[in-house]
Amino acid sequence: MDMRNLKIRTDFLSISIIAILATVLVIFVLLPVLKVFTYPSFEEYTRIIAKARTIRAVKNSLFITCLSSITATLIGFLFAYAMNYTKIPGKRLFDGLILLPLLSPPFVVALAWVLLFGGHGLITRQLLGIRGSIFGWHGLWIVQSIAFFPYSYLIIDGVLKGIDPNLEYAAKNAGANGSHVFRTVTLPLALPGVLNALVLIAIYVLADFGNPILIAGGWPVLPTEIYGRISGHYDLSGAAALSSLLLLPTLLLFILNRTLLRGKSFITVTGRGEGLERPMAGPFTQWCLFAFCALLTSVVVLVYGTLLAGAFVKIWGINWTPSLENFQVLKGVRGESLLNSLFFACFAGLGAAIFSIFASYFIYKKTFSGKRVLDFLSLLPAAIPGVFLGVGFLLSFNSPPLVLSGTAAIIILALMVWNIPLGYQACTAGLEQIGAEIEEAAMNLGANPIRVFKDTIFPLLRSPFLSGFIMGFLRAITNLSIVIFLISPGKSVATVEILDLIQYAELGPAVALTVVLFTIALAVVGIARLLLRWSFGELKGLKR
Amino acid sequence: MRAHVEIRRLTKRFGETVAVEDLSLEVQKGEFITLLGPSGCGKTTTLRMIAGFVEPDRGEIYLNGRFLNNVPAHRRNVAMVFQSYALFPHMNVFNNVAYGLKLRKKSRQEIGKRVREVLELLNMEGMEKRYPHQLSGGQQQRVALARALVLEPEALLMDEPLSNLDAKLRVAVRNELKELQKHFGITTIYVTHDQEEALAISDKIAVMKEGILQQLGDPWEIYRHPVNRFVADFIGTANLLEAVVEKSGPGFVELGIAGEHILISREGLDLAIGQKILINIRPENLRLFKEPTHVMSEITVKGRIKRNTYMGRTIQYWVQMKDGTELIVEEHAPETVLDGEIYIGFDSKHIEFVSMERKCWV
Ligand SMILES: Nc1ncnc2c1ncn2[C@@H]1O[C@H](COP(=O)(O)OP(=O)(O)OP(=O)(O)O)[C@@H](O)[C@H]1O
Ligand SMILES: [Mg+2]
């Protein structure tokens, strides 16, 4: 597509809107990042980096990131391949169930792991009679692989769908057999997308806080170390220094990802192959993939089954009588935290979606000096680990000029900022599709810039707006890594309360609270998706 | 009287690329002018500057005497029909057409009346409730046109409005388009890279190349008297030949062309002996004979047929002359296919002298 540079005389209104967007980005993205970097003195940096425990945490983080992200990507690839290149029974069921982890807090897999393999674990204690538990990196590896592969599935599914089946037929026509087609056409075409998925998953794993804090107990990784610095020692400089250390590899991966995405994609959206059935894998491969998908789906079902069971028995591992006792937890302060979660996530999701739609039009579409900086700042939060952002907000807004600590606003703003890149990307992609001519047509018919935005851009971006809201809401309501640094009495959220319960070994109530949180998230997403379908017909909102 | 649309020395560069260079044009009220040229020659950029989507680097644009450069796009009152039609996908036909009227704060009755009138004129009544994706390409094109015409704009800009239609429909719609334009008497600037379309539809044609205006004239002038090799070649099919003046006298000239000596009687030629010039003779003005003819004013040269293309209504031959030059000859309503040695006959009055000055690359 040619990038028509719309050189509209930048009017006063546009300038004001850009100024507002820029202010938000500078105060809530740039400032926290700089604050974290500059908070510790040079001596404090050297002190913390020299610590044996820090070195171990760094090593562990890198190690588990490599391991888990490669496994998760591989699983995601096989799964996506099965969904696109086979006719195995139960595909729709597999596809639906596998996406459940995307809708739930990041630590549900870990929580199920605790229930199955922990101190009172169903498998370890009841079936195998092992006392003690098998925590440590093995568990973390398995848990993260299961928790993150759905993300890689989503990305790679998109990549495979973008491959024109005609290319594969052409290869067949030239005499290639099934495995040949896979090796010489499908795989090379998908590879840039697969690498892109790998890098993204690596960013997620590196930043993962929920899973290691639950099950990696004595095995330190950077995010849990950072939390430990603050909760254990209230050592803010130490936490900031470690956070900077965590941001470095993430930023590297982020830049790597953007260069990968830019340069190397062979996928061209021609739309010509659409509706054409792909050449299927051989029967043996299909059955192997079926077994694989069935196993994987069973694991996911096991995770959620365990959670449900955990919520409805009296005391896990001791008294298996069915009961609703665990739901008593909803009555007290912990129950109120659910309302806070819902409230904060709604505002954060809405805020991020609204910000994105304006940013995509006024930053991405217009030409002005400083545009690239604002564009970068809008995407930057995608490269910031939750823990880093939490620490950044904590350090930046607890002293004048802007004191927000102890308010709901600090939580909402942090969650909003964290979700801007997703919505921003969705909206800019939407704008690209709309093309410049629609706007020009409106202008040509007499619409001033405000009317152009109101009459064409806004209604046409309704679906990226809604899917931006859905994603933002989900990520916000299930977030633990950011909010854990920002809550204050009366402003707690469900995920933090769940963690708290687990640390007091109150597994039943913890699981019950998780189940309710999950149900609320599902309900909101369901409503939003209905809105999406109602507003714009056939659109796979979440899948974009 | 001042022209209705006046463009003076318009220039636009995108970085290194010259999109439009020093373009001056005058369009009279009610006139239909076409910008014609190959891809990338700056036609769209010119329209976009007139519509106000692109700011020119230099030059002025006037509409009805009003200086347009400082007027923002939404206040220019020149309606544009886009190549992609750019219909609002979230509005139905009625609302698409009514959009501009609503912005102009017309009353509901007036909007309803005017939209109905224009849709009727374009044979689109009964389609008001449909959305753009429920319309065929031709229908979408009509809606785009209706949306522009309903505003009764001071000038109409059209950027290859027919290029998304199939060949048959293109001819039908272009005739309708011309009727409508006459009916409204609206000053129109039209863009196409299809020379046949330009010839059929325009009062005047501006041929452009690499951002530079090559020739401005009515279809007759452009076809019959191209000013340079580019225009001659771009419009229709040309047989461009280099010639040397061998003899010259009052009322006649003898040229050496492709190894033949050809005597042309024509008044008002001022050519020096030995001068190199470029001539053009159109394929439809050449005839083929088995035997040499002796018709007065008919010149005959020998050749050999290399290949042909049969197109039903016509047939084209590639004929090689004795020095190897190839000529294209077009015959109408062919009954047999000719072959082998052949004589080419033509009337010397059909030889055009393509001007050798003025931005010419011989
Ligand atoms: N926004 C832009 N940025 C950079 N270059 C541009 C831009 N718009 C046009 N150009 C360049 O200016 C030149 C003229 O483009 P223009 O679109 O006016 O051509 P055109 O005559 O309309 O061609 P076509 O028949 O293909 O539509 C081309 O070389 C094009 O690449
Ligand atoms: Mg064009």
Side-chain angles (χ1 to χ4, degrees):
Chain A
M1 205 193 119
D2 70 336
M3 291 276 306
R4 289 273 150 84
N5 76 340
L6 259 190
K7 198 155 182 192
I8 313 156
R9 238 168 247 102
T10 334
D11 52 307
F12 179 70
L13 190 89
S14 304
I15 293 174
S16 328
I17 291 176
I18 291 171
I20 294 172
L21 296 172
T23 312
V24 171
L25 287 172
V26 167
I27 295 182
F28 296 109
V29 179
L30 192 60
L31 184 68
V33 172
L34 295 180
K35 190 82 186 179
V36 172
F37 275 130
T38 54
Y39 195 83
S41 65
F42 184 72
E43 287 73 35
E44 280 163 328
Y45 265 113
T46 46
R47 173 180 62 88
I48 200 89
I49 289 172
K51 273 193 179 174
R53 203 177 156 82
T54 307
I55 295 170
R56 243 176 73 213
V58 171
K59 276 188 185 159
N60 287 350
S61 267
L62 295 180
F63 170 73
I64 201 70
T65 299
C66 288
L67 211 56
S68 299
S69 52
I70 290 175
T71 324
T73 308
L74 211 61
I75 299 175
F77 179 80
L78 287 177
F79 198 85
Y81 191 76
M83 290 303 116
N84 284 289
Y85 288 83
T86 67
K87 281 186 177 164
I88 54 178
K91 253 166 75 170
R92 284 189 69 110
L93 185 71
F94 293 153
D95 179 62
L97 286 174
I98 225 72
L99 295 176
L100 279 180
L102 296 179
L103 305 178
S104 35
F107 51 77
V108 289
V109 184
L111 190 49
W113 181 267
V114 171
L115 292 179
L116 293 172
F117 299 101
H120 296 280
L122 182 62
I123 295 177
T124 33
R125 181 105 176 241
Q126 305 284 314
L127 299 180
L128 303 174
I130 302 170
R131 302 220 152 228
S133 59
I134 41 170
F135 290 147
W137 70 264
H138 299 92
L140 187 58
W141 173 31
I142 295 175
V143 163
Q144 286 182 328
S145 301
I146 298 170
F148 291 113
F149 89 85
Y151 293 93
S152 82
Y153 161 57
L154 275 193
I155 301 170
I156 297 172
D157 181 65
V159 172
L160 292 181
K161 286 207 161 62
I163 295 177
D164 185 349
N166 285 319
L167 295 175
E168 289 155 345
Y169 282 116
K172 284 213 147 175
N173 190 253
N177 65 22
S179 73
H180 223 98
V181 172
F182 178 76
R183 272 186 293 118
T184 58
V185 178
T186 315
L187 195 58
L189 284 175
L191 204 58
V194 174
L195 288 177
N196 170 28
L198 179 67
V199 173
L200 274 180
I201 306 295
I203 293 178
Y204 289 153
V205 176
L206 201 52
D208 185 22
F209 172 72
N211 291 312
I213 193 112
L214 283 197
I215 63 167
W219 199 74
V221 289
L222 273 176
T224 51
E225 271 309 284
I226 295 167
Y227 177 61
R229 283 277 114 205
I230 291 187
S231 74
H233 315 266
Y234 208 71
D235 174 13
L236 288 176
S237 332
L242 286 175
S243 299
S244 311
L245 218 54
L246 175 61
L247 188 65
L248 281 183
T250 322
L251 259 185
L252 271 179
L253 285 172
F254 178 71
I255 291 164
L256 185 70
N257 182 44
R258 292 198 53 86
T259 44
L260 261 182
L261 262 180
R262 287 271 163 76
K264 282 202 85 175
S265 177
F266 297 121
I267 308 292
T268 48
V269 189
T270 53
R272 251 173 248 137
E274 245 166 66
L276 200 64
E277 194 180 281
R278 296 182 175 279
M280 294 290 142
F284 178 72
T285 317
Q286 291 211 17
W287 284 114
C288 289
L289 285 170
F290 175 72
F292 171 78
C293 291
L295 181 73
L296 203 58
T297 313
S298 311
V299 171
V300 173
V301 170
L302 180 69
V303 166
Y304 288 86
T306 308
L307 287 185
L308 272 183
F312 289 99
V313 299
K314 248 198 166 106
I315 303 173
W316 184 266
I318 294 165
N319 183 349
W320 299 100
T321 334
S323 130
L324 287 177
E325 217 168 83
N326 291 329
F327 290 91
Q328 294 293 334
V329 71
L330 295 180
K331 284 198 179 140
V333 187
R334 306 214 193 257
E336 277 166 30
S337 72
L338 268 175
L339 282 183
N340 282 341
S341 280
L342 186 64
F343 177 74
F344 296 163
C346 274
F347 274 95
L350 214 56
I354 292 173
F355 186 93
S356 305
I357 203 169
F358 277 94
S360 66
Y361 186 67
F362 287 96
I363 295 178
Y364 183 78
K365 254 299 173 71
K366 306 244 163 167
T367 0
F368 55 92
S369 49
K371 165 192 159 93
R372 295 179 64 109
V373 177
L374 296 188
D375 181 60
F376 177 75
L377 286 181
S378 305
L379 290 169
L380 185 62
I384 302 179
V387 173
F388 184 103
L389 200 62
V391 173
F393 267 65
L394 182 67
L395 296 180
S396 305
F397 306 114
N398 65 357
S399 58
L402 191 55
V403 183
L404 293 174
S405 51
T407 64
I410 192 169
I411 301 176
I412 294 172
L413 280 166
L415 290 172
M416 175 192 127
V417 160
W418 189 53
N419 284 309
I420 284 174
L422 277 174
Y424 182 68
Q425 278 171 317
C427 288
T428 49
L431 273 184
E432 295 261 287
Q433 285 202 332
I434 298 170
E437 290 201 340
I438 293 278
E439 267 168 71
E440 290 174 358
M443 230 188 300
N444 183 253
L445 294 168
N448 60 30
I450 311 174
R451 290 301 298 243
V452 172
F453 187 73
K454 177 173 157 288
D455 296 342
T456 66
I457 304 301
F458 196 74
L460 290 174
L461 287 185
R462 215 161 13 177
S463 80
F465 176 81
L466 270 172
S467 57
F469 167 73
I470 293 176
M471 288 303 292
F473 170 82
L474 267 178
R475 279 162 50 97
I477 202 169
T478 59
N479 175 270
L480 174 64
S481 56
I482 299 175
V483 291
I484 198 161
F485 296 98
L486 303 178
I487 50 154
S488 48
K491 307 275 178 347
S492 186
V493 295
T495 48
V496 176
E497 293 301 322
I498 293 167
L499 180 67
D500 201 35
L501 284 166
I502 296 169
Q503 284 172 337
Y504 284 104
E506 298 218 38
L507 288 185
V511 175
L513 202 52
T514 308
V515 168
V516 176
L517 180 68
F518 181 56
T519 315
I520 292 176
L522 270 189
V524 173
V525 171
I527 294 169
R529 290 198 68 160
L530 272 183
L531 276 177
L532 195 68
R533 193 161 313 160
W534 161 77
S535 76
F536 235 97
E538 253 279 298
L539 271 175
K540 280 178 143 185
L542 267 178
K543 280 218 159 192
R544 333 213 96 208
Chain B
M1 194 192 86
R2 209 160 163 188
H4 194 56
V5 178
E6 203 176 327
I7 293 169
R8 277 202 215 135
R9 314 208 57 172
L10 208 56
T11 297
K12 178 73 196 176
R13 291 207 176 94
F14 294 102
E16 295 283 285
T17 321
V18 178
V20 176
E21 176 86 17
D22 216 6
L23 177 74
S24 298
L25 268 184
E26 289 191 355
V27 191
Q28 302 304 326
K29 193 158 176 59
E31 203 170 42
F32 192 117
I33 188 167
T34 296
L35 306 181
L36 175 66
S39 190
C41 72
K43 309 179 293 285
T44 299
T45 306
T46 307
L47 278 201
R48 287 162 55 82
M49 284 192 282
I50 301 172
F53 307 142
V54 176
E55 248 176 293
D57 298 339
R58 242 183 308 119
E60 297 120 57
I61 303 167
Y62 297 91
L63 175 66
N64 216 355
R66 180 167 65 127
F67 182 59
L68 267 198
N69 293 50
N70 293 333
V71 182
H74 64 275
R75 299 220 196 88
R76 289 203 177 184
N77 202 24
V78 289
M80 177 131 171
V81 177
F82 294 83
Q83 186 171 5
S84 66
Y85 310 143
L87 297 178
F88 304 125
H90 57 300
M91 297 183 194
N92 62 22
V93 169
F94 183 91
N95 287 327
N96 260 288
V97 179
Y99 185 73
L101 295 173
K102 282 183 190 159
L103 287 175
R104 282 161 181 72
K105 306 253 181 322
K106 304 285 182 213
S107 70
R108 278 178 65 104
Q109 290 92 331
E110 191 186 346
I111 293 176
K113 182 168 154 284
R114 279 171 67 176
V115 172
R116 239 171 291 117
E117 272 172 10
V118 72
L119 287 178
E120 204 169 309
L121 202 64
L122 286 156
N123 297 318
M124 286 288 291
E125 59 269 70
M127 305 257 182
E128 289 89 345
K129 292 255 147 52
R130 297 228 203 145
Y131 282 84
H133 69 268
Q134 298 169 317
L135 300 174
S136 72
Q139 291 165 336
Q140 290 179 15
Q141 211 278 328
R142 279 159 207 265
V143 178
L145 192 58
R147 188 175 69 176
L149 288 176
V150 79
L151 297 177
E152 295 171 2
E154 288 182 74
L156 183 62
L157 310 175
M158 291 195 259
D159 191 359
E160 309 202 24
L162 308 182
S163 62
N164 290 330
L165 305 180
D166 69 57
K168 265 241 158 70
L169 198 55
R170 196 146 60 206
V171 174
V173 176
R174 103 185 162 203
N175 293 333
E176 258 176 81
L177 207 60
K178 179 76 195 176
E179 298 265 305
L180 279 170
Q181 188 262 342
K182 269 202 206 132
H183 172 94
F184 281 92
I186 187 168
T187 311
T188 301
I189 303 179
Y190 186 91
V191 160
T192 182
H193 57 242
D194 180 339
Q195 41 99 8
E196 188 188 303
E197 190 173 297
L199 291 172
I201 203 169
S202 320
D203 295 326
K204 267 199 192 139
I205 299 175
V207 185
M208 294 173 68
K209 181 193 177 205
E210 290 166 10
I212 298 169
L213 178 66
Q214 305 290 314
Q215 187 173 5
L216 177 68
D218 64 33
W220 284 88
E221 275 174 62
I222 296 279
Y223 190 79
R224 299 283 287 269
H225 305 294
V227 295
N228 61 29
R229 178 191 280 269
F230 174 80
V231 176
D233 216 15
F234 192 76
I235 312 288
T237 314
N239 287 307
L240 287 166
L241 299 168
E242 275 166 39
V244 185
V245 179
E246 291 179 339
K247 289 181 194 148
S248 179
F252 83 95
V253 66
E254 192 180 299
L255 300 177
I257 307 169
E260 306 281 348
H261 308 281
I262 291 169
L263 187 71
I264 301 166
S265 17
R266 195 174 299 186
E267 297 295 332
L269 287 176
D270 183 21
L271 296 169
I273 292 175
Q275 188 178 348
K276 286 205 171 105
I277 58 169
L278 189 70
I279 63 150
N280 177 29
I281 180 150
R282 299 280 178 187
E284 64 270 23
N285 292 328
L286 296 173
R287 271 179 298 279
L288 296 178
F289 303 99
K290 286 252 178 242
E291 306 291 328
T293 55
H294 303 284
V295 185
M296 281 285 288
S297 85
E298 193 88 340
I299 298 163
T300 310
V301 295
K302 238 174 115 172
R304 166 181 271 283
I305 293 177
K306 304 299 286 181
R307 62 203 144 92
N308 68 64
T309 304
Y310 178 64
M311 291 177 292
R313 195 159 47 88
T314 62
I315 186 165
Q316 279 189 349
Y317 294 99
W318 275 259
V319 183
Q320 195 172 48
M321 314 239 290
K322 83 176 160 215
D323 74 331
T325 315
E326 280 191 0
L327 288 181
I328 301 172
V329 180
E330 185 169 283
E331 293 217 317
H332 277 263
E335 282 172 4
T336 54
V337 177
L338 299 169
D339 201 3
E341 298 286 331
I342 210 82
Y343 295 90
I344 307 171
F346 58 93
D347 192 323
S348 69
K349 75 171 188 233
H350 289 306
I351 290 184
E352 300 153 12
F353 290 76
V354 179
S355 163
M356 316 234 50
E357 324 92 69
R358 276 234 292 180
K359 296 150 201 151
C360 177
W361 295 263
V362 178

